[in-house]
Amino acid sequence: MTKPEMVFRAAIRADLGPAEEFETSHGTKRAFFPITGGVLKGDGLEGEIISGGADWAIGLPDGSYAVEARYLIRLRDGTVVSILNAGRMVEQEDGAFLGRTRASFEVPKGPHEWLGKAVFFGTAMAEPGDDEHVYIELWEAVI
């Protein structure tokens, strides 16, 4: 088999509300990051993030987070799509968090149907001192 070809499809800036973090009875830390808005921009793919989504992260013993963010995007033509980004964010020496995710879309039939069939990987970054944004790039693994 060969290394998959990766094609850049879009960048996301997710706007975050104040986080809630707490220790659970299972001995883990739960972190809830409300998603209050943001934008998606790519070649022929643009939209706004609809407020109301969230990232339900679990703090792991090594200081990293297992992330699972689910939110809605209203594309430029009015189509609403759901996205799920899940993966891992790791704190860096400068206080930034870098991560890798997999992303999947739920879409209606029509011109954006390809989003629901594609396989996406993401790069994610939360800059040190910025608790209000997360930046994600979506890369399609061409099949």
Side-chain angles (χ1 to χ4, degrees), residues 56-130:
W56 291 82
I58 296 175
L60 301 173
D62 66 359
S64 67
Y65 286 87
V67 296
E68 185 173 293
R70 185 180 297 270
Y71 48 100
L72 299 176
I73 301 170
R74 185 179 320 279
L75 298 176
R76 177 186 270 180
D77 67 1
T79 303
V80 175
V81 300
S82 172
I83 185 170
L84 171 64
N85 274 320
R88 189 163 176 185
M89 298 286 286
V90 177
E91 188 170 14
Q92 306 299 297
E93 287 184 20
D94 66 356
F97 277 84
L98 297 180
R100 299 291 182 261
T101 65
R102 66 189 185 288
S104 58
F105 285 88
E106 291 182 69
V107 299
K109 290 193 177 287
H112 307 293
E113 216 168 329
W114 69 273
L115 289 169
K117 297 177 181 176
V119 175
F120 292 98
F121 293 96
T123 58
M125 178 186 64
E127 295 181 308
D130 182 359

Side-chain angles (χ1 to χ4, degrees), residues 34-59:
I35 299 172
T36 61
V39 295
L40 172 136
K41 289 187 178 184
D43 186 20
L45 189 62
E46 294 187 23
E48 294 183 355
I49 297 173
I50 298 172
S51 181
D55 181 351
W56 291 82
I58 296 175

